[in-house]
């Protein structure tokens, strides 16, 4: 069981630590809202990673083989969603900067914790390469068929915990960034840099 726990932690950090477009959006979202909202969004990302780890351990090669034909379309869909978020974030920041205020009565309210959780859960689920990653790890041990349900559960929980700890760390960085850049210009620069990074990463997803 210890081996399953360690394997899950390693797998969870392996998929979570490389900061991509989703991680960049998480930091930006927390900077614009609150730590509570950011933590809920982080748990949405971790929940998707945990779900894919569960699917991988339960389905193994069959799940990976079934997903490979749709990896391209789903990757393009994910890239389009990220591009839309980048454009919307940049446009909103510029509009508020020109108006010389951070929020108005007519401006849409920032996402709450529940909405942030569901948004990041859905966005992360658009990346089925995650389940292929977990399936490859499970199958690479050569003992996928002999693993007991308890060990499978420990693997999934450890993968979720590892992903959650890293995503919450990113959210904490976003909260610190939000407090440090409280002025109009600071918020504008943060939003534009985040949107630019998200755009580059989204383009690389389909390149």
């Amino acid at each position: 069981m210890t081996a399953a726990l360690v394997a899950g932690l390693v797998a969870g950090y392996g998929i979570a630590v490389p900061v991509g477009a989703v991680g960049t959006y998480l930091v930006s979202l927390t900077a614009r809202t609150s730590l509570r909202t950011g933590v809920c969004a982080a748990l949405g990302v971790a929940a998707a990673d945990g779900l894919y780890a569960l699917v991988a351990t339960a389905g193994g090669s069959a799940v990976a083989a079934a997903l490979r034909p749709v990896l391209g379309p789903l990757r393009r869909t994910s890239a389009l969603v990220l591009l839309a978020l980048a454009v919307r974030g940049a446009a909103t920041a510029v509009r508020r900067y020109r108006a010389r205020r951070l929020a108005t009565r007519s401006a849409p309210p920032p996402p709450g914790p529940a909405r942030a959780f569901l948004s990041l859960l859905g966005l992360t689920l658009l990346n089925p390469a995650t389940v292929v990653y977990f399936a490859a790890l499970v199958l690479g041990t050569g003992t996928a068929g002999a693993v007991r349900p308890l060990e499978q559960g420990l693997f999934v929980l450890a993968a979720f915990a590892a992903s959650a700890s890293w995503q919450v760390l990113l959210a904490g960085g976003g909260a610190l960034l939000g407090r440090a850049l409280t002025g109009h210009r600071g918020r504008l620069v943060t939003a534009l840099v985040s949107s630019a990074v998200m755009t580059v990463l989204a383009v690389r997803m389909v390149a």
Side-chain angles (χ1 to χ4, degrees):
M1 288 190 293
T2 301
L5 181 64
V6 173
L9 289 173
V10 172
Y13 282 119
I15 195 65
V17 169
V19 178
V22 174
T24 302
Y25 179 66
L26 172 61
V27 172
S28 175
L29 175 66
T30 310
R32 290 185 288 108
T33 55
S34 66
L35 180 60
R36 180 185 177 188
T37 299
V39 169
C40 288
L43 292 178
V45 177
D49 288 342
L51 178 61
Y52 271 146
L54 175 62
V55 171
T57 55
S61 58
V63 174
L67 282 174
R68 283 194 182 98
V70 298
L71 283 178
L74 283 177
R75 189 176 291 112
R76 287 191 290 271
T77 301
S78 179
L80 288 175
V81 171
L82 289 168
L83 284 173
L85 289 172
V87 171
R88 179 184 178 187
T92 300
V94 171
R95 184 174 65 250
R96 291 179 179 177
Y97 178 75
R98 288 178 175 175
R100 295 293 181 180
R101 58 183 181 275
L102 295 176
T104 64
R105 293 182 181 274
S106 60
R115 181 181 166 191
F117 174 87
L118 293 175
S119 297
L120 269 295
L121 173 65
L123 186 59
T124 309
L125 287 176
L126 285 173
N127 183 20
T130 305
V131 75
V132 176
Y133 164 83
F134 281 117
L137 289 178
V138 172
L139 296 173
T141 63
T143 58
V147 176
R148 293 175 296 176
L150 178 58
E151 292 177 337
Q152 291 180 342
L154 282 174
F155 176 86
V156 172
L157 287 176
F160 168 80
S163 178
S165 64
W166 180 257
Q167 305 302 338
V168 169
L169 180 64
L170 290 180
L176 292 175
L177 184 65
R179 285 196 290 268
L181 300 175
T182 55
H184 292 281
R185 184 168 297 177
R187 294 279 181 156
L188 174 65
V189 171
T190 301
L192 292 180
V193 170
S194 173
S195 295
V197 172
M198 288 170 60
T199 300
V200 171
L201 292 172
V203 170
R204 289 183 60 185
M205 290 176 63
V206 295

